[in-house]
Amino acid sequence: MNLVWLHEDALRLSHPVFEAAGGHRQSVFIWDEIYLKKMNYSFKRLVFIYESLCELPVTILEGETIDTLNHHANAIHAESIKIPATPNPYLQSMIASLDFPTEIVNDTPFVKTEKVIKVERFFRYWNIVKKQVMQN
């Protein structure tokens, strides 16, 4: 069995991570209070994450991310943990800390840009890419 660790950068059923994990899989989201506070997400953002999770075939586990993932992967005898790619350096460091074999699954980009965009806020990103997106 494969374990899918879904994080907030991939909250949709059409993400390729589900296909990569195959039919015999379990999907989890770790509700890690310390991590969520560190990300400084607003209450609205947390509600959005939770409501999105309620629409997905995912089990929400509460606890510290690394310990919870390692424990759960052991409990279900997971072969590997499939994880959606993320630009978040904090999530990347957590992925590197896992004790299990992992596979990062890339997604089709929302839009392809010529230059690297430093994304701090979605509004700034949207102002840069909206012309290209709306043409498609």
Short mmCIF file of all heavy atoms in Angstrom, two decimals, residues 68-115:
data_model
loop_
_atom_site.label_atom_id
_atom_site.label_comp_id
_atom_site.label_asym_id
_atom_site.label_seq_id
_atom_site.Cartn_x
_atom_site.Cartn_y
_atom_site.Cartn_z
N THR A 68 3.87 11.87 13.11
CA THR A 68 2.57 11.32 12.72
C THR A 68 2.68 10.55 11.41
O THR A 68 2.15 9.44 11.28
CB THR A 68 1.51 12.44 12.61
OG1 THR A 68 1.45 13.12 13.87
CG2 THR A 68 0.15 11.88 12.28
N LEU A 69 3.37 11.11 10.43
CA LEU A 69 3.53 10.41 9.14
C LEU A 69 4.33 9.12 9.30
O LEU A 69 3.94 8.08 8.77
CB LEU A 69 4.22 11.32 8.12
CG LEU A 69 3.32 12.22 7.32
CD1 LEU A 69 4.14 13.18 6.46
CD2 LEU A 69 2.38 11.42 6.44
N ASN A 70 5.46 9.19 10.00
CA ASN A 70 6.27 7.98 10.20
C ASN A 70 5.47 6.91 10.94
O ASN A 70 5.49 5.74 10.55
CB ASN A 70 7.55 8.31 10.96
CG ASN A 70 8.59 8.99 10.08
OD1 ASN A 70 8.71 8.72 8.90
ND2 ASN A 70 9.35 9.88 10.68
N HIS A 71 4.76 7.30 11.99
CA HIS A 71 3.96 6.34 12.76
C HIS A 71 2.86 5.73 11.89
O HIS A 71 2.66 4.51 11.89
CB HIS A 71 3.36 7.02 13.99
CG HIS A 71 2.44 6.13 14.76
ND1 HIS A 71 2.91 5.15 15.60
CD2 HIS A 71 1.08 6.06 14.80
CE1 HIS A 71 1.88 4.51 16.13
NE2 HIS A 71 0.76 5.05 15.65
N HIS A 72 2.14 6.56 11.16
CA HIS A 72 1.04 6.07 10.34
C HIS A 72 1.54 5.18 9.19
O HIS A 72 0.93 4.15 8.90
CB HIS A 72 0.21 7.23 9.80
CG HIS A 72 -1.08 6.79 9.21
ND1 HIS A 72 -2.12 6.32 9.98
CD2 HIS A 72 -1.51 6.72 7.92
CE1 HIS A 72 -3.13 5.99 9.19
NE2 HIS A 72 -2.78 6.23 7.94
N ALA A 73 2.63 5.56 8.57
CA ALA A 73 3.19 4.74 7.49
C ALA A 73 3.59 3.36 8.02
O ALA A 73 3.36 2.35 7.35
CB ALA A 73 4.39 5.45 6.86
N ASN A 74 4.17 3.32 9.21
CA ASN A 74 4.50 2.03 9.83
C ASN A 74 3.25 1.23 10.14
O ASN A 74 3.20 0.02 9.90
CB ASN A 74 5.30 2.24 11.12
CG ASN A 74 6.77 2.43 10.86
OD1 ASN A 74 7.37 1.75 10.05
ND2 ASN A 74 7.37 3.39 11.56
N ALA A 75 2.23 1.90 10.68
CA ALA A 75 1.01 1.22 11.09
C ALA A 75 0.29 0.56 9.92
O ALA A 75 -0.31 -0.51 10.09
CB ALA A 75 0.08 2.21 11.80
N ILE A 76 0.32 1.17 8.75
CA ILE A 76 -0.38 0.59 7.59
C ILE A 76 0.57 -0.20 6.69
O ILE A 76 0.17 -0.66 5.64
CB ILE A 76 -1.12 1.67 6.77
CG1 ILE A 76 -0.15 2.64 6.09
CG2 ILE A 76 -2.15 2.39 7.62
CD1 ILE A 76 -0.79 3.52 5.04
N HIS A 77 1.82 -0.34 7.11
CA HIS A 77 2.84 -1.06 6.33
C HIS A 77 3.00 -0.47 4.93
O HIS A 77 3.00 -1.19 3.93
CB HIS A 77 2.52 -2.55 6.25
CG HIS A 77 2.31 -3.18 7.60
ND1 HIS A 77 3.34 -3.39 8.48
CD2 HIS A 77 1.18 -3.59 8.23
CE1 HIS A 77 2.86 -3.92 9.59
NE2 HIS A 77 1.56 -4.06 9.47
N ALA A 78 3.11 0.83 4.89
CA ALA A 78 3.24 1.53 3.60
C ALA A 78 4.56 1.17 2.93
O ALA A 78 5.59 1.02 3.60
CB ALA A 78 3.16 3.04 3.82
N GLU A 79 4.51 1.04 1.61
CA GLU A 79 5.72 0.81 0.83
C GLU A 79 6.48 2.12 0.63
O GLU A 79 7.70 2.14 0.64
CB GLU A 79 5.35 0.20 -0.52
CG GLU A 79 4.71 -1.16 -0.43
CD GLU A 79 4.14 -1.61 -1.76
OE1 GLU A 79 4.51 -1.04 -2.81
OE2 GLU A 79 3.31 -2.53 -1.74
N SER A 80 5.72 3.18 0.41
CA SER A 80 6.33 4.50 0.21
C SER A 80 5.30 5.57 0.51
O SER A 80 4.12 5.29 0.67
CB SER A 80 6.84 4.65 -1.23
OG SER A 80 5.76 4.73 -2.13
N ILE A 81 5.80 6.80 0.59
CA ILE A 81 4.92 7.95 0.79
C ILE A 81 5.00 8.82 -0.45
O ILE A 81 6.08 9.28 -0.82
CB ILE A 81 5.32 8.77 2.03
CG1 ILE A 81 5.29 7.90 3.30
CG2 ILE A 81 4.40 9.98 2.20
CD1 ILE A 81 5.81 8.60 4.54
N LYS A 82 3.89 8.98 -1.12
CA LYS A 82 3.80 9.83 -2.31
C LYS A 82 3.40 11.23 -1.84
O LYS A 82 2.44 11.38 -1.08
CB LYS A 82 2.77 9.31 -3.29
CG LYS A 82 2.88 7.85 -3.64
CD LYS A 82 4.05 7.56 -4.50
CE LYS A 82 4.01 6.09 -4.92
NZ LYS A 82 5.19 5.64 -5.54
N ILE A 83 4.13 12.23 -2.32
CA ILE A 83 3.93 13.59 -1.83
C ILE A 83 3.87 14.56 -3.01
O ILE A 83 4.77 14.55 -3.86
CB ILE A 83 5.09 14.00 -0.90
CG1 ILE A 83 5.27 12.96 0.21
CG2 ILE A 83 4.85 15.39 -0.32
CD1 ILE A 83 6.59 13.09 0.95
N PRO A 84 2.85 15.41 -3.06
CA PRO A 84 2.82 16.43 -4.11
C PRO A 84 4.01 17.38 -3.97
O PRO A 84 4.39 17.75 -2.86
CB PRO A 84 1.51 17.18 -3.86
CG PRO A 84 0.67 16.26 -3.03
CD PRO A 84 1.64 15.46 -2.22
N ALA A 85 4.59 17.76 -5.09
CA ALA A 85 5.70 18.73 -5.07
C ALA A 85 5.21 20.04 -4.47
O ALA A 85 4.04 20.40 -4.59
CB ALA A 85 6.23 18.95 -6.48
N THR A 86 6.13 20.74 -3.82
CA THR A 86 5.78 22.01 -3.19
C THR A 86 6.96 22.97 -3.26
O THR A 86 8.11 22.54 -3.15
CB THR A 86 5.38 21.80 -1.71
OG1 THR A 86 5.13 23.08 -1.12
CG2 THR A 86 6.46 21.09 -0.92
N PRO A 87 6.68 24.25 -3.43
CA PRO A 87 7.77 25.24 -3.38
C PRO A 87 8.06 25.68 -1.94
O PRO A 87 9.01 26.41 -1.69
CB PRO A 87 7.21 26.42 -4.18
CG PRO A 87 5.73 26.32 -3.99
CD PRO A 87 5.42 24.85 -3.90
N ASN A 88 7.28 25.21 -0.98
CA ASN A 88 7.41 25.61 0.42
C ASN A 88 8.67 24.99 1.04
O ASN A 88 8.74 23.77 1.22
CB ASN A 88 6.15 25.15 1.18
CG ASN A 88 6.15 25.53 2.64
OD1 ASN A 88 7.19 25.64 3.27
ND2 ASN A 88 4.96 25.70 3.18
N PRO A 89 9.67 25.80 1.38
CA PRO A 89 10.91 25.24 1.93
C PRO A 89 10.73 24.52 3.26
O PRO A 89 11.44 23.56 3.54
CB PRO A 89 11.83 26.45 2.09
CG PRO A 89 11.00 27.65 1.88
CD PRO A 89 9.72 27.24 1.25
N TYR A 90 9.76 24.93 4.04
CA TYR A 90 9.52 24.25 5.32
C TYR A 90 8.97 22.85 5.09
O TYR A 90 9.41 21.89 5.72
CB TYR A 90 8.58 25.09 6.19
CG TYR A 90 8.54 24.63 7.62
CD1 TYR A 90 9.64 24.81 8.47
CD2 TYR A 90 7.42 24.00 8.15
CE1 TYR A 90 9.61 24.38 9.77
CE2 TYR A 90 7.38 23.58 9.45
CZ TYR A 90 8.48 23.77 10.27
OH TYR A 90 8.46 23.33 11.57
N LEU A 91 8.04 22.72 4.15
CA LEU A 91 7.53 21.38 3.80
C LEU A 91 8.64 20.54 3.18
O LEU A 91 8.74 19.34 3.45
CB LEU A 91 6.35 21.49 2.83
CG LEU A 91 5.01 21.90 3.41
CD1 LEU A 91 3.97 22.07 2.31
CD2 LEU A 91 4.52 20.90 4.45
N GLN A 92 9.46 21.14 2.35
CA GLN A 92 10.58 20.41 1.74
C GLN A 92 11.52 19.86 2.81
O GLN A 92 12.00 18.73 2.69
CB GLN A 92 11.34 21.30 0.77
CG GLN A 92 10.55 21.63 -0.47
CD GLN A 92 11.24 22.66 -1.36
OE1 GLN A 92 12.25 23.25 -1.00
NE2 GLN A 92 10.67 22.89 -2.53
N SER A 93 11.79 20.63 3.86
CA SER A 93 12.66 20.13 4.92
C SER A 93 11.99 19.00 5.69
O SER A 93 12.67 18.05 6.12
CB SER A 93 13.08 21.27 5.87
OG SER A 93 12.00 21.70 6.65
N MET A 94 10.68 19.07 5.87
CA MET A 94 9.98 17.96 6.53
C MET A 94 10.03 16.69 5.67
O MET A 94 10.23 15.59 6.19
CB MET A 94 8.54 18.34 6.84
CG MET A 94 8.42 19.32 7.99
SD MET A 94 6.75 19.44 8.66
CE MET A 94 5.94 20.44 7.43
N ILE A 95 9.87 16.85 4.37
CA ILE A 95 9.93 15.70 3.47
C ILE A 95 11.30 15.02 3.58
O ILE A 95 11.40 13.79 3.67
CB ILE A 95 9.65 16.12 2.01
CG1 ILE A 95 8.19 16.57 1.87
CG2 ILE A 95 9.98 15.01 1.03
CD1 ILE A 95 7.87 17.31 0.58
N ALA A 96 12.35 15.81 3.63
CA ALA A 96 13.71 15.27 3.75
C ALA A 96 13.93 14.56 5.08
O ALA A 96 14.82 13.71 5.18
CB ALA A 96 14.73 16.39 3.57
N SER A 97 13.12 14.86 6.09
CA SER A 97 13.28 14.26 7.42
C SER A 97 12.53 12.95 7.61
O SER A 97 12.68 12.31 8.65
CB SER A 97 12.78 15.24 8.49
OG SER A 97 13.51 16.43 8.45
N LEU A 98 11.73 12.55 6.64
CA LEU A 98 10.94 11.33 6.79
C LEU A 98 11.83 10.08 6.76
O LEU A 98 12.85 10.05 6.06
CB LEU A 98 9.89 11.25 5.69
CG LEU A 98 8.76 12.26 5.80
CD1 LEU A 98 7.93 12.29 4.53
CD2 LEU A 98 7.89 11.95 7.01
N ASP A 99 11.43 9.07 7.52
CA ASP A 99 12.17 7.82 7.59
C ASP A 99 11.75 6.80 6.54
O ASP A 99 12.24 5.69 6.54
CB ASP A 99 11.99 7.18 8.99
CG ASP A 99 12.63 8.00 10.09
OD1 ASP A 99 13.57 8.75 9.79
OD2 ASP A 99 12.18 7.87 11.24
N PHE A 100 10.84 7.17 5.68
CA PHE A 100 10.31 6.26 4.68
C PHE A 100 10.76 6.66 3.29
O PHE A 100 11.05 7.82 3.04
CB PHE A 100 8.77 6.31 4.71
CG PHE A 100 8.16 5.21 5.50
CD1 PHE A 100 8.12 5.29 6.87
CD2 PHE A 100 7.63 4.09 4.88
CE1 PHE A 100 7.57 4.28 7.62
CE2 PHE A 100 7.08 3.07 5.61
CZ PHE A 100 7.05 3.16 6.99
N PRO A 101 10.77 5.70 2.35
CA PRO A 101 11.01 6.08 0.96
C PRO A 101 9.89 7.03 0.50
O PRO A 101 8.72 6.80 0.81
CB PRO A 101 10.93 4.76 0.19
CG PRO A 101 11.03 3.68 1.21
CD PRO A 101 10.57 4.26 2.51
N THR A 102 10.27 8.09 -0.17
CA THR A 102 9.29 9.06 -0.63
C THR A 102 9.41 9.25 -2.14
O THR A 102 10.46 9.00 -2.72
CB THR A 102 9.48 10.44 0.04
OG1 THR A 102 10.79 10.92 -0.25
CG2 THR A 102 9.29 10.35 1.55
N GLU A 103 8.32 9.67 -2.72
CA GLU A 103 8.32 10.05 -4.14
C GLU A 103 7.59 11.37 -4.25
O GLU A 103 6.44 11.49 -3.82
CB GLU A 103 7.62 9.00 -4.99
CG GLU A 103 7.58 9.38 -6.46
CD GLU A 103 6.76 8.42 -7.32
OE1 GLU A 103 6.53 7.28 -6.90
OE2 GLU A 103 6.36 8.84 -8.41
N ILE A 104 8.27 12.36 -4.79
CA ILE A 104 7.67 13.67 -5.03
C ILE A 104 6.99 13.62 -6.39
O ILE A 104 7.61 13.26 -7.39
CB ILE A 104 8.75 14.78 -5.01
CG1 ILE A 104 9.54 14.75 -3.71
CG2 ILE A 104 8.11 16.14 -5.24
CD1 ILE A 104 8.73 14.91 -2.46
N VAL A 105 5.73 13.99 -6.42
CA VAL A 105 4.94 13.93 -7.65
C VAL A 105 4.68 15.36 -8.11
O VAL A 105 4.02 16.14 -7.42
CB VAL A 105 3.62 13.18 -7.43
CG1 VAL A 105 2.81 13.13 -8.72
CG2 VAL A 105 3.89 11.77 -6.90
N ASN A 106 5.21 15.69 -9.27
CA ASN A 106 5.03 17.03 -9.83
C ASN A 106 3.66 17.19 -10.45
O ASN A 106 3.04 16.23 -10.88
CB ASN A 106 6.11 17.31 -10.88
CG ASN A 106 7.47 17.48 -10.26
OD1 ASN A 106 7.63 18.24 -9.31
ND2 ASN A 106 8.45 16.76 -10.76
N ASP A 107 3.23 18.42 -10.51
CA ASP A 107 1.94 18.76 -11.07
C ASP A 107 2.17 19.57 -12.34
O ASP A 107 3.23 20.15 -12.54
CB ASP A 107 1.16 19.60 -10.05
CG ASP A 107 -0.30 19.75 -10.38
OD1 ASP A 107 -0.77 19.15 -11.37
OD2 ASP A 107 -0.99 20.48 -9.65
N THR A 108 1.17 19.63 -13.19
CA THR A 108 1.22 20.51 -14.35
C THR A 108 1.11 21.94 -13.84
O THR A 108 0.19 22.25 -13.08
CB THR A 108 0.05 20.21 -15.30
OG1 THR A 108 0.08 18.83 -15.64
CG2 THR A 108 0.14 21.06 -16.55
N PRO A 109 2.03 22.81 -14.22
CA PRO A 109 1.95 24.18 -13.71
C PRO A 109 0.69 24.89 -14.18
O PRO A 109 0.20 24.66 -15.29
CB PRO A 109 3.19 24.86 -14.28
CG PRO A 109 3.84 23.90 -15.19
CD PRO A 109 3.15 22.59 -15.10
N PHE A 110 0.18 25.74 -13.32
CA PHE A 110 -1.01 26.54 -13.63
C PHE A 110 -0.74 27.41 -14.84
O PHE A 110 -1.58 27.59 -15.71
CB PHE A 110 -1.35 27.38 -12.39
CG PHE A 110 -2.53 28.29 -12.55
CD1 PHE A 110 -3.79 27.77 -12.79
CD2 PHE A 110 -2.39 29.65 -12.45
CE1 PHE A 110 -4.89 28.59 -12.92
CE2 PHE A 110 -3.48 30.49 -12.57
CZ PHE A 110 -4.74 29.96 -12.81
N VAL A 111 0.46 27.96 -14.88
CA VAL A 111 0.88 28.80 -15.99
C VAL A 111 2.40 28.69 -16.10
O VAL A 111 3.09 28.52 -15.10
CB VAL A 111 0.43 30.27 -15.78
CG1 VAL A 111 1.09 30.88 -14.58
CG2 VAL A 111 0.66 31.11 -17.01
N LYS A 112 2.91 28.74 -17.31
CA LYS A 112 4.36 28.71 -17.51
C LYS A 112 4.85 30.12 -17.74
O LYS A 112 4.31 30.84 -18.58
CB LYS A 112 4.72 27.81 -18.69
CG LYS A 112 4.40 26.37 -18.43
CD LYS A 112 4.81 25.48 -19.57
CE LYS A 112 4.42 24.05 -19.22
NZ LYS A 112 4.79 23.11 -20.24
N THR A 113 5.87 30.50 -17.00
CA THR A 113 6.41 31.85 -17.12
C THR A 113 7.86 31.77 -17.57
O THR A 113 8.55 30.78 -17.33
CB THR A 113 6.33 32.61 -15.79
OG1 THR A 113 7.07 31.89 -14.81
CG2 THR A 113 4.90 32.77 -15.33
N GLU A 114 8.29 32.83 -18.21
CA GLU A 114 9.67 32.92 -18.68
C GLU A 114 10.64 33.13 -17.54
O GLU A 114 11.75 32.64 -17.56
CB GLU A 114 9.80 34.08 -19.68
CG GLU A 114 8.98 33.91 -20.93
CD GLU A 114 9.55 32.86 -21.85
OE1 GLU A 114 10.78 32.77 -21.97
OE2 GLU A 114 8.75 32.11 -22.45
N LYS A 115 10.21 33.89 -16.54
CA LYS A 115 11.11 34.21 -15.43
C LYS A 115 10.59 33.59 -14.14
O LYS A 115 9.42 33.24 -14.02
CB LYS A 115 11.24 35.72 -15.28
CG LYS A 115 9.92 36.42 -14.99
CD LYS A 115 10.08 37.91 -14.88
CE LYS A 115 8.72 38.55 -14.61
NZ LYS A 115 8.79 39.95 -14.40
#
